[in-house]
């Protein structure tokens, strides 16, 4: 589509309104994406083009392009043949940014775990419906990694996190995957001082059963098991956050 069609403001604008106009350009481009009037690969033009077509200064156009680039909306090429194109998107790049905003908002452990429960239960159900042979192989590999690291807390924790993410990936729903990655940034401990061999063995047993249910293509059972598993993890995370003991039966 013509970039000219994105903009409604054609008159010269005082310099004092530069930030507002820059934001307007960003909003117009974003709206065009959501309305499918722009698609990945479409050429927006150069800074000079954007300024001329939007009826704004090059300073305004430059600020808008920088914001769009920071948001991951456009890729900018400099030099001959350069300019801004609509990006092809990589939602995982912004999982950490979402996690940062959740942390800054002060979202607590209980809220995070409730959200994680919703995401992972659906992911387990969809994984049982959609997992491929490659997905099954990856889950088995991660179970082997966890088995080999039962006495190594950091390595076992890493393998367990990777297993949960692999289940989400096996759902073949990218929205669930990105949301889970964001929550992992906030909620999953890098080091886990309360983890011991007995707890690790219980976790591994659940993971093995879950992988088997996914391979058996039993969505309802996979969802139920994941629900029970996440509820136990929630109890442990909330107890850790509050400085309490989650009890010997947790996880």
């Amino acid at each position: 589509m013509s970039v000219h069609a994105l903009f409604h403001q054609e008159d010269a604008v005082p310099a004092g309104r530069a930030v507002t106009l820059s934001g307007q350009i960003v909003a117009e481009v974003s709206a065009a994406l959501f309305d499918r009037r722009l698609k990945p690969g479409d050429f927006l033009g150069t800074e000079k083009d954007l300024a001329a077509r939007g009826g704004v200064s090059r300073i305004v156009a430059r600020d808008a392009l920088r914001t769009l680039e920071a948001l991951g909306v456009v890729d900018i090429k400099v030099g001959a043949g350069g300019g801004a194109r609509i990006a092809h998107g990589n939602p995982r790049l912004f999982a950490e940014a979402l996690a940062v905003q959740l942390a800054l908002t002060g979202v607590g452990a209980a809220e995070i775990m409730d959200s994680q429960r919703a995401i992972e239960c659906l992911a387990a159900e969809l994984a049982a419906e959609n997992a491929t042979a490659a997905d099954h192989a990856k889950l088995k590999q991660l179970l082997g990694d966890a088995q080999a690291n039962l006495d190594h807390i950091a390595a076992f924790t890493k393998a367990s996190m990777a297993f949960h993410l692999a289940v989400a990936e096996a759902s073949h729903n990218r929205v669930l995957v990105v949301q889970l990655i964001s929550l992992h940034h906030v909620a999953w401990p890098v080091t886990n001082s309360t983890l011991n061999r007995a707890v690790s063995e219980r976790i591994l047993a659940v993971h093995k059963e879950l992988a088997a249910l996914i391979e058996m293509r039993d969505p309802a059972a996979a969802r139920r098991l994941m629900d029970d598993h996440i509820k136990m993890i929630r109890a442990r995370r909330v107890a850790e956050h509050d400085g309490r003991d989650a009890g010997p039966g947790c996880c």
Side-chain angles (χ1 to χ4, degrees):
M1 69 171 292
S2 169
V3 176
H4 181 80
L6 291 174
F7 307 111
H8 308 295
Q9 175 68 43
E10 297 294 330
D11 299 325
V13 181
R17 293 181 57 197
V19 174
T20 299
L21 286 172
S22 171
Q24 179 180 322
I25 292 173
V26 172
E28 293 283 359
V29 172
S30 298
L33 278 173
F34 295 137
D35 293 341
R36 303 294 192 270
R37 289 179 285 128
L38 283 175
K39 62 183 184 299
D42 282 352
F43 186 62
L44 280 183
T46 65
E47 175 187 299
K48 182 179 179 180
D49 296 334
L50 205 63
R53 291 168 182 170
V56 297
S57 71
R58 290 186 65 167
I59 293 175
V60 170
R62 185 181 308 129
D63 185 62
L65 287 175
R66 285 174 177 171
T67 300
L68 289 167
E69 185 179 34
L71 291 171
V73 175
V74 301
D75 293 321
I76 298 176
K77 179 182 177 182
V78 298
R85 287 188 181 276
I86 298 298
H88 284 272
N90 183 358
R92 291 189 181 217
L93 293 176
F94 297 92
E96 185 172 354
L98 175 58
V100 168
Q101 294 305 314
L102 291 173
L104 290 173
T105 306
V107 174
E111 289 178 271
I112 291 292
M113 293 309 305
D114 287 341
S115 299
Q116 188 168 329
R117 179 182 170 195
I119 292 165
E120 295 215 56
C121 287
L122 179 56
E125 179 181 337
L126 292 176
E129 295 176 356
N130 302 326
T132 64
D135 294 322
H136 296 312
K138 184 173 183 179
L139 291 174
K140 289 177 181 177
Q141 176 194 333
L142 292 168
L143 289 171
D145 292 344
Q147 182 76 54
N149 287 288
L150 281 169
D151 293 314
H152 302 280
I153 292 174
F156 182 85
T157 299
K158 183 178 179 180
S160 294
M161 181 171 69
F163 178 85
H164 279 256
L165 180 58
V167 170
E169 290 171 337
S171 76
H172 293 273
N173 185 304
R174 290 171 291 179
V175 178
L176 293 178
V177 172
V178 173
Q179 289 178 311
L180 184 59
I181 292 172
S182 293
L183 297 185
H184 278 179
H185 279 299
V186 180
W188 206 285
V190 177
T191 58
N192 197 335
S193 59
T194 63
L195 191 66
N196 55 43
R197 172 86 185 209
V199 172
S200 295
E201 288 177 343
R202 287 197 293 273
I203 292 171
L204 182 57
V206 172
H207 286 181
K208 286 180 177 179
E209 184 179 355
L210 182 59
L213 291 171
I214 290 171
E215 190 163 8
M216 290 165 56
R217 300 207 177 279
D218 190 336
R223 184 183 185 110
R224 284 194 301 270
L225 182 59
M226 181 64 89
D227 191 34
D228 290 341
H229 185 45
I230 298 298
K231 282 191 285 189
M232 295 292 282
I233 294 174
R234 181 190 189 280
R236 188 158 171 238
R237 293 283 182 270
V238 173
E240 289 170 350
H241 184 267
D242 295 341
R244 297 183 286 104
D245 185 354
C250 183
C251 307

